[in-house]
Amino acid sequence: EIYPLSLHDALPIWQFSSPAHVFFTDALPFQPPQFEIDIPLEPDGVITFIAAGTTIDACHLGVDREAQVVWYTLGTNDCNSTLEVLNDEAFFTSKSLGGSEADWMNETGEITASLVTPMRTHHSAAVLPNNNVLFLVHKNRPYDSERWGEIVLTGDLIIEVDPVGELVWEWSTFDHVDKESFPNVEPKTSTKGPEYLDTIDWTHANSLQVLPETDQILLSLRSQNAVFLIDHITGEVVETFGEQGGFELLEGEWFEGQHDATLSMNNELLLFDNGWTKEDKPNSRIVRYAID
């Protein structure tokens, strides 16, 4: 197969586009997706890992500096899993929804280590500097709501698991989120029968980020339209980002139903704003907030 590749870079003071280069790959059993990716300044030989999405059979691609496809996962259901580059290896959860496994893969596609979690996990995971791993876990709890009456709240736990799969730390939304806060969700009728309580997707955590410099955790709670900054040692919520948080928005508008929140070292919050109630605007946008 023959593919052209060009590099485009844009800064406020200058722009650059390289000539198109042609490179060759071995024949692949699928059509590679069209994608653009920013390659950071890494040592030569490091593989760039790409989540290819669900439009092709391959879910993840490993591409070298010459844009050769070095390895790929094929015929799996893991396209929405966590994928994180750690040194020369990739960490990924093998089943993103309802799974209980995580793997490390080297640059040749070989599984070098695996971890089985003590609970069924969902959506996101993050590796700590000590090689422990944080996972998200659903937690249900009956609750007598002033607004809805007797319901079941579906909240979330963050669990920390050591390399042998033992639970060593836990954080719960039930201890830190107002149980009467329902910005954009309503109870769903139980499918088990009228004798069972209705449930509400109360917090819907969907992304984790570890901030090793400060030993903090960034947690996105989609149903709460909020992003929490959590102290890993004390469990305290240090900051809350969002309309009900502790910051005044000087321009623009806050996010709703967000995904994939990250906080940079220069205090910029980047996320997908999926705009639950913004009917007169595009369904989603990428937005960056400068945090003073």
Side-chain angles (χ1 to χ4, degrees), residues 260-280:
D260 200 24
T262 59
L263 189 65
S264 69
M265 294 184 64
N266 59 346
N267 284 333
E268 290 185 338
L269 179 67
L270 180 69
L271 50 73
F272 289 104
D273 175 10
N274 298 111
W276 281 17
T277 62
K278 302 173 184 178
E279 297 179 358
D280 59 334

Side-chain angles (χ1 to χ4, degrees), residues 207-238:
S207 72
L208 281 171
Q209 181 194 11
V210 170
L211 304 172
E213 297 83 6
T214 56
D215 199 12
Q216 294 174 322
I217 302 163
L218 195 73
L219 173 68
S220 169
L221 298 177
R222 193 191 78 173
S223 292
Q224 293 293 318
N225 299 334
V227 176
F228 283 3
L229 185 63
I230 302 166
D231 187 291
H232 183 211
I233 297 177
T234 66
E236 176 188 359
V237 178
V238 179

Side-chain angles (χ1 to χ4, degrees), residues 5 30 33 43 46 66 82 88 126 152 177-178 193 248 273:
L5 175 69
F30 57 88
V46 171
E66 285 69 44
T82 294
D88 290 340
V152 173
V177 179
D178 180 5
E248 177 187 1
D273 175 10

